[in-house]
Amino acid sequence: MNTRKNILLVLFSLLILLSTDKAKAQFMPTVYDNVYGKDVRFTKITAGFQSGDVVTVGESGGQKLVSWLNRWGESRLSRKFQPDMFNDILDVIPVDESSILIVGTRQVSGKDSREAGGQAIVFTSAGKIKHDISVGHNGTRVTGGRVLHSGNIVLYGDIPTSASGKRTG
């Protein structure tokens, strides 16, 4: 009986000690519950920034839209792209804390469809376009890339081919 009392006394002592210990909380990420414009449908999100910024890609009124949001969900920048600039945005790659590489396809209306093809833009959080690169021909897609420390840009993607294996266009 005496040992049972001692065990209970030790357990209650431990409970009292643990209850007075400092509580440690886990960091909870910010949950965005905001509306960013009328009829905006977001399709991609990139969150690879040390500052907690987020870059989203969406569509509004048939135009591609890129929005740069800070960690609290406040819009730092929002820009719509015409189809002759971006028909489809396939990826957004962080370059550094203040710029991103946007890659995809573009389509040009009218006679000169030779201008259509893959598209890549290095875009800053201030809205400035550092580099604007068009590659390939109609059907070419730029699906990814990197900006090297030297400032050179490496892009990759695909070019359509015919059934015989020759490039089309």
Side-chain angles (χ1 to χ4, degrees):
M1 195 76 148
N2 203 10
T3 55
R4 182 182 262 175
K5 286 183 183 180
N6 288 340
I7 290 174
L8 286 174
L9 182 63
V10 168
L11 284 176
F12 284 124
S13 299
L14 283 175
L15 283 174
I16 290 172
L17 283 174
L18 291 176
S19 67
T20 60
D21 191 22
K22 214 179 204 183
K24 295 181 174 110
Q26 179 181 355
F27 173 75
M28 293 298 291
T30 303
V31 177
Y32 296 113
D33 186 19
N34 294 329
V35 176
Y36 298 101
K38 186 177 179 185
D39 299 326
V40 176
R41 186 176 58 90
F42 291 111
T43 56
K44 293 181 183 17
I45 187 166
T46 300
F49 299 96
Q50 294 291 327
S51 63
D53 287 1
V54 172
V55 175
T56 61
V57 175
E59 190 173 323
S60 175
Q63 295 177 320
K64 295 300 175 187
L65 171 73
V66 173
S67 298
W68 198 306
L69 310 172
N70 67 15
R71 73 179 314 139
W72 298 281
E74 297 166 348
S75 180
R76 292 178 60 189
L77 173 74
S78 186
R79 169 137 184 212
K80 285 186 180 180
F81 292 100
Q82 299 295 330
D84 63 343
M85 189 77 148
F86 270 109
N87 185 44
D88 193 15
I89 296 176
L90 300 175
D91 203 1
V92 176
I93 301 116
V95 175
D96 55 36
E97 284 299 308
S98 63
S99 59
I100 54 174
L101 173 64
I102 306 171
V103 296
T105 62
R106 69 184 228 148
Q107 187 170 353
V108 177
S109 60
K111 296 179 188 177
D112 199 7
S113 66
R114 292 176 291 159
E115 297 290 323
Q119 182 74 15
I121 292 178
V122 177
F123 193 65
T124 69
S125 61
K128 182 181 174 192
I129 294 177
K130 285 183 175 178
H131 301 283
D132 184 358
I133 304 163
S134 298
V135 295
H137 52 79
N138 198 7
T140 301
R141 299 178 333 143
V142 178
T143 57
R146 296 286 178 263
V147 177
L148 305 177
H149 290 291
S150 63
N152 295 325
I153 300 173
V154 177
L155 300 173
Y156 53 89
D158 51 55
I159 298 174
T161 58
S162 66
S164 65
K166 294 184 179 180
R167 289 193 336 205
T168 60

